[in-house]
Amino acid sequence: MSVLDRIGQKLLFSFDPETAHGMSIAVLRCGLPVGAAAPRDARLRINLCGLDFPNPLGMAAGYDKNAEVPDALLGLGFGFAEVGTITPLPQPGNPKPRIFRLTADEAVINRLGFNNEGHAAAEKRLAARKGRPGIVGVNIGANKDSADRIADYERGVARFASYASYLTVNISSPNTPGLRNMQAREQLGELLSRVMAARAAAAAQPPVFLKIAPDLVEAELEDIAAEVAEKKIDGVIVSNTTLARSGLRSGGVADETGGLSGKPLFERSTAVLARMRKLLGPQMAIVGVGGVDSAEAALEKIRAGADLVQLYTGMIYAGPALPGRVVAGMARFVERERLKSIAELRDTGCASWSERL
């Protein structure tokens, strides 16, 4: 971290995590310079699902929940940004406090519960940026008290298909009761069928990705892979936060309920990623998320089978210059290894990572 990053982190860490998050959004919204631009290297470009990503690193959903600062995030060096999770109706989420820093583990536990301003507010912001360059995905979810959660996803597709570079169907958050049950094969099959029908009926047809949990056993992964292939989903994002708590060094807050993200998630999420690559084959788009905090970690996700990589929690501990550093590290790697494209790295470690699951 630079001196500026350390000062900024010390300032933000003097506030509770949710207040600090709001402050960071405000800084980006004001256009203040908080990170150096990432290098542009043609060898880092990835063409996937008809989209031309300038580099494979993206901001994961959960940070810009209301689509307030996607262009500012792209300005930090990300090759793409994913906003949301956005639900049809505004909802406050779970009671506070609901975000906890595990500093010794460089991790976070959250039980936010899809707190967001709803479809209308996000659509207004996304409509205002329509026509601007940059890949911006929209992560859609269901309201906690919805009578028909699948209908909420259909509404999300209809509402954002014209504005999203891609859509992510998020059924893997552990903080909305019963949501992860939608990963079970029967419910998942109905969900994906209705989502793809909604996309077919929309004015635009962006790629659709499915975001899954890391806490799935082999049989569940096999069922998901089968449904994804059958329903012709464009890609899978692996993974959301985990309910596991093994090996944590932080005391006290480690027992809080919610999803764990950050460095401790890296190994499990990467193993699940590799297993999904083996199940889905070489053609399916896969995005690797979980524990990415350096160029080395991002490259390892690609070795395990990821086409693209996302981060979020890593930036809490490494500062806003992290995406620029990661992309610069990727550029140095392809130069050192004399690769024509970073895509040549994909799957080179898939076999060994899949055996760790």
Side-chain angles (χ1 to χ4, degrees):
M1 292 178 69
S2 67
V3 173
L4 183 61
D5 285 338
R6 291 185 187 280
I7 292 171
Q9 185 195 71
K10 187 173 182 179
L11 173 64
L12 289 175
F13 275 34
S14 68
F15 295 91
D16 72 87
E18 195 153 354
T19 299
H21 175 267
M23 292 172 65
S24 71
I25 291 283
V27 168
L28 288 175
R29 196 167 51 232
C30 291
L32 297 177
V34 291
R40 297 188 71 86
D41 190 319
R43 294 168 295 185
L44 298 184
R45 291 175 61 179
I46 298 289
N47 189 277
L48 194 70
C49 300
L51 299 172
D52 189 16
F53 295 82
N55 69 65
L57 183 69
M59 171 55 98
Y63 177 74
D64 188 9
K65 288 180 173 291
N66 296 303
E68 297 178 85
V69 291
D71 293 294
L73 290 170
L74 295 174
L76 294 179
F78 287 111
F80 63 108
E82 187 171 319
V83 302
T85 299
I86 307 169
T87 58
L89 300 176
Q91 62 182 23
N94 295 320
K96 298 178 182 181
R98 52 194 182 178
I99 308 179
F100 307 89
R101 298 187 190 103
L102 284 67
T103 306
D105 297 291
E106 295 185 39
V108 166
I109 291 172
N110 93 81
R111 52 172 180 263
L112 288 161
F114 286 174
N115 57 310
N116 73 107
E117 297 173 2
H119 280 183
E123 182 185 24
K124 183 177 180 180
R125 295 183 182 113
L126 291 168
R129 75 166 302 277
K130 192 171 184 180
R132 294 181 195 170
I135 296 175
V136 176
V138 178
N139 185 300
I140 56 175
N143 283 111
K144 179 179 180 179
D145 58 356
S146 176
D148 184 349
R149 285 181 171 173
I150 294 180
D152 282 7
Y153 289 96
E154 292 174 310
R155 294 184 188 101
V157 172
R159 194 99 186 218
F160 296 112
S162 295
Y163 308 111
S165 302
Y166 67 88
L167 292 164
T168 297
V169 176
N170 184 3
I171 54 171
S172 51
S173 169
N175 301 316
T176 297
L179 188 74
R180 283 190 169 187
N181 295 339
M182 298 181 79
Q183 295 176 120
R185 187 160 188 175
E186 185 174 348
Q187 290 191 56
L188 181 62
E190 182 184 358
L191 168 70
L192 297 183
S193 291
R194 289 171 60 177
V195 161
M196 296 305 280
R199 186 185 70 167
Q205 285 79 43
V208 172
F209 296 164
L210 176 70
K211 188 166 186 174
I212 66 172
D215 307 314
L216 296 162
V217 299
E218 177 67 15
E220 293 171 317
L221 293 174
E222 290 173 356
D223 284 348
I224 289 171
E227 289 298 329
V228 163
E230 181 182 318
K231 304 305 187 297
K232 297 182 172 19
I233 302 302
D234 298 284
V236 178
I237 300 180
V238 187
S239 67
N240 213 315
T241 57
T242 182
L243 295 173
R245 296 290 188 270
S246 60
L248 297 178
R249 294 177 293 164
S250 303
V253 293
D255 296 325
E256 294 287 348
T257 60
L260 175 75
S261 62
K263 189 169 284 190
L265 180 57
F266 180 79
E267 184 156 347
R268 174 71 188 185
S269 63
T270 308
V272 174
L273 155 66
R275 190 66 197 131
M276 287 302 290
R277 172 57 72 197
K278 293 194 79 171
L279 289 168
L280 290 167
Q283 301 306 315
M284 178 66 64
I286 298 182
V287 182
V289 200
V292 175
D293 59 0
S294 64
E296 291 73 21
L299 292 168
E300 201 60 38
K301 292 280 190 189
I302 296 172
R303 288 188 183 96
D307 297 288
L308 304 169
V309 178
Q310 291 177 321
L311 62 80
Y312 172 8
T313 302
M315 208 159 75
I316 295 173
Y317 291 97
L322 178 62
R325 291 200 299 270
V326 171
V327 175
M330 287 180 165
R332 288 193 298 271
F333 175 81
V334 295
E335 175 67 24
R336 184 174 68 248
E337 299 298 319
R338 299 181 180 180
L339 302 180
K340 294 181 180 178
S341 168
I342 196 166
E344 295 175 36
L345 186 65
R346 204 200 77 180
D347 298 344
T348 56
C350 182
S352 60
W353 269 107
S354 68
E355 291 172 0
R356 302 190 197 186
L357 186 60

